[in-house]
Amino acid sequence: MRFFLLNFVLFLMLMPSNSRSESISTVISWGEDPAWIDIASGSEIKVVASDGVSDGCWTNVAQTRDSVAIELQRSGYKINLSDDGYSASRLIISVSGYGIKNQSCAVLYEFLFVTMTVGRDLFSQKHTVMSLRDVELWRKSGIMTGPKKDMSYRIKDEFISLTQRFILEVPQLRKSALKSINDVAGLNKLKDPEAYKFWSNYELK
């Protein structure tokens, strides 16, 4: 995916300016981020766990990360668990916190899904800058307090639950993103009939 995006940017940069205006249509979407359209079953997702917890309040970090990965894999996503390398889409589970008196813990957990997109900044009619940007698509967070002996398992269960919720919401978010594009393309169908035809017939994979 990363190499595809890099090649796409180079393609746009090397394409003659008159060809760009003739062959590329632009639709401005006001709804869900259009990046959702590319997040289909079969996409690769890198799962990352960030441990900012002290005092033994999250002792099963690797097990939690693997459990999240298994949920995604069951739904058809390709999983990347390597410490090096890169994936365009990343699911980051992070926890920060510490132990408090009476063998208890207080933690802040966060579930974040980001993906890389191609950005274009227009500086004049003849000069644009293309860039690769990380876009935050889905985030959930919360606070937990309670006995230290139970905290690691509570964190794990919470991330599994959030992963399942994420998996269930992705199809609807993809449909919503496509609908937003279709709505705008429909409003401009007389001005840009080619874009309207393309998006009207576009099918989510």
Side-chain angles (χ1 to χ4, degrees):
M1 180 68 173
R2 185 188 185 192
F3 293 108
F4 168 78
L5 289 171
L6 289 172
N7 289 332
F8 179 67
V9 171
L10 290 173
F11 169 75
L12 291 177
M13 292 174 63
L14 296 174
M15 182 187 297
S17 58
N18 60 339
S19 298
R20 295 181 205 173
S21 60
E22 292 174 1
S23 61
I24 298 178
S25 65
T26 300
V27 175
I28 299 176
S29 174
W30 299 102
E32 297 293 345
D33 196 301
W36 277 115
I37 292 177
D38 288 331
I39 312 302
S41 179
S43 302
E44 181 180 275
I45 298 178
K46 185 178 181 68
V47 182
V48 179
S50 177
D51 179 9
V53 182
S54 60
D55 305 319
C57 290
W58 190 23
T59 59
N60 59 349
V61 179
Q63 185 183 28
T64 302
R65 183 195 66 171
D66 292 347
S67 296
V68 167
I70 289 171
E71 293 296 326
L72 293 168
Q73 198 168 44
R74 284 173 177 167
S75 294
Y77 294 96
K78 297 177 182 177
I79 304 302
N80 181 349
L81 293 176
S82 63
D83 293 329
D84 53 0
Y86 191 88
S87 292
S89 297
R90 301 184 306 287
L91 195 159
I92 304 164
I93 56 172
S94 64
V95 184
S96 58
Y98 48 83
I100 53 180
K101 61 182 180 179
N102 299 325
Q103 291 295 304
S104 295
C105 294
V107 302
L108 169 66
Y109 64 87
E110 184 174 68
F111 182 107
L112 175 64
F113 180 74
V114 299
T115 193
M116 185 171 62
T117 63
V118 178
R120 180 181 179 185
D121 295 311
L122 179 66
F123 287 90
S124 73
Q125 291 183 344
K126 294 184 178 180
H127 301 282
T128 60
V129 175
M130 307 297 295
S131 61
L132 300 179
R133 301 173 180 174
D134 281 331
V135 176
E136 176 186 313
L137 292 181
W138 208 83
R139 178 197 290 265
K140 301 295 177 185
S141 61
I143 295 174
M144 286 185 183
T145 59
K148 182 182 295 185
K149 65 178 182 178
D150 300 329
M151 186 56 64
S152 293
Y153 296 101
R154 288 178 60 196
I155 292 171
K156 175 186 171 184
D157 289 344
E158 181 65 23
F159 279 133
I160 291 175
S161 177
L162 287 172
T163 304
Q164 293 170 343
R165 180 178 171 184
F166 169 77
I167 291 169
L168 288 174
E169 288 189 13
V170 167
Q172 185 56 46
L173 290 167
R174 297 181 71 224
K175 290 178 182 178
S176 180
L178 181 57
K179 183 179 183 302
S180 296
I181 296 173
N182 275 322
D183 288 346
V184 176
L187 292 174
N188 295 305
K189 63 181 179 180
L190 295 179
K191 182 179 179 181
D192 194 346
E194 186 176 345
Y196 172 71
K197 180 180 179 181
F198 174 82
W199 289 110
S200 296
N201 293 288
Y202 189 91
E203 295 184 1
L204 295 173
K205 298 179 181 179

